[in-house]
Amino acid sequence: MKSLIATLALTTALTLPGLAMARPVTLSTTMNNYGGNGAYLALYVTDASGAYVGSLWMAGGKSKYYKHLTDWAAATGGNTAEINGITGASVGSGRTLDISLDLADALFDAGYTLHIDAAVEDYRDSPNEIAVPLTSDGFGKSVQGRRYISSFTYR
Amino acid sequence: MTSRTILFLSATALGATLVLPAFAANAPIGHGLTSCDGVCAAVLEPLDAVPLVRVSDDHDEEDDDDDHGRRHDDDDDDCEGDGHGWRLFSRGDDDEDDCETPRGQNAPNSMNSGTPPANGLFGNGAAPKAVTN
């Protein structure tokens, strides 16, 4: 019986830290009714010094338009390897994009910032439309965009 | 083998199964694409150094211009070198990448291939799921 308890304690101790390393998050982006075609959005993270860390999602499938996501393109050189496997359709006017993912726990309360660049056909590019610090306190708080994004929330 | 030994071994295997993926996903946050070294680097870096060359171009840009009904289109080849404006596209082909990027490091694998980049942001290595409402 003692060995069983010891084994359970060991496996629990080994498992719990692993589960705590990721945090399930939903990134919700609601577009304004700007009236144009679907918007291209680049969601990416920078560290406390402002250096690009990595991309979380690319909304919009045609790489030739990625240069209009100017800050993302400048940070990555437009390298689409950065968004392999995390690319989806562009987001229409007035629509909401919900992205569910497990974010590394180390990203929160450590100076990291989530950015969204936006671009719409025939409209002005909007780099850094959203810039929101990743903090525990920021969960569920809505942030307003500058041009095309009505609101952004991570929860 | 005693039952105690069997129990210990099975518990260890269970713990390793649950924990190893989590530790693997806990790579240093940053640009994971450059973290290739050792045997990996020896195999992959020579491939990166070889430029991809398009060996055939037998289609006529004019004939293949399928931008039917677009509002204006005065730039048939805007995959490179055009520093201005959007090439207009219809909503119906948003997901179709018609840019002539070669397969390789500058072309996405696929839409939602299920394998996000190893940039350290994705806690468990699972691909995000996106829904548009």
Side-chain angles (χ1 to χ4, degrees):
Chain A
M1 188 61 184
K2 283 183 179 178
S3 64
L4 179 62
I5 294 174
T7 305
L8 286 175
L10 176 64
T11 54
T12 303
L14 287 171
T15 305
L16 283 181
L19 296 177
M21 291 173 188
R23 187 179 301 197
V25 176
T26 298
L27 310 176
S28 184
T29 309
T30 300
M31 309 304 294
N32 284 321
N33 289 310
Y34 54 83
N37 283 348
Y40 275 48
L41 304 176
L43 287 80
Y44 58 98
V45 174
T46 59
D47 63 16
S49 67
Y52 172 82
V53 176
S55 297
L56 293 173
W57 191 256
M58 174 65 78
K62 292 185 177 179
S63 59
K64 61 187 176 184
Y65 299 127
Y66 293 165
K67 62 177 176 284
H68 296 279
L69 304 163
T70 48
D71 281 2
W72 178 88
T76 64
N79 183 5
T80 54
E82 294 285 337
I83 52 170
N84 273 347
I86 52 172
T87 306
S90 56
V91 186
S93 171
R95 298 213 169 194
T96 298
L97 172 68
D98 287 330
I99 305 166
S100 302
L101 70 167
D102 285 318
L103 273 184
D105 216 33
L107 292 172
F108 292 91
D109 302 312
Y112 291 95
T113 302
L114 191 155
H115 302 261
I116 304 179
D117 285 10
V120 177
E121 176 187 344
D122 282 343
Y123 288 69
R124 291 180 60 183
D125 299 341
S126 184
N128 212 25
E129 168 106 17
I130 295 284
V132 55
L134 290 171
T135 64
S136 299
D137 291 341
F139 265 79
K141 292 182 179 174
S142 179
V143 178
Q144 190 171 9
R146 293 188 298 118
R147 189 177 301 273
Y148 304 116
I149 296 175
S150 169
S151 65
F152 171 79
T153 309
Y154 61 92
R155 60 182 189 274
Chain B
M1 188 179 292
T2 66
S3 60
R4 183 176 296 179
T5 305
I6 293 172
L7 179 63
F8 179 76
L9 288 176
S10 59
T12 303
L14 175 64
T17 303
L18 293 172
V19 171
L20 283 178
F23 277 108
N26 193 33
I29 293 172
H31 197 287
L33 296 173
T34 60
S35 61
C36 180
D37 54 11
V39 176
C40 169
V43 172
L44 294 182
E45 284 181 0
L47 295 179
D48 291 341
V50 177
L52 296 172
V53 178
R54 186 176 182 175
V55 296
S56 172
D57 184 3
D58 59 356
H59 75 268
D60 186 335
E61 296 289 346
E62 296 297 329
D63 292 342
D64 284 352
D65 185 359
D66 58 356
D67 298 335
H68 310 293
R70 295 176 188 182
R71 284 172 284 180
H72 58 80
D73 186 2
D74 56 359
D75 187 1
D76 276 340
D77 185 9
D78 55 1
C79 291
E80 55 186 350
D82 65 333
H84 58 86
W86 286 80
R87 180 178 188 179
L88 299 179
F89 59 94
S90 63
R91 288 176 184 273
D93 66 354
D94 275 355
D95 293 337
E96 175 184 296
D97 192 344
D98 56 3
C99 188
E100 300 288 345
T101 51
R103 284 287 171 191
Q105 78 176 50
N106 284 330
N109 284 341
S110 64
M111 308 294 280
N112 300 321
S113 68
T115 308
N119 55 19
L121 301 180
F122 302 96
N124 58 5
K129 292 181 175 63
V131 177
T132 302
N133 302 312

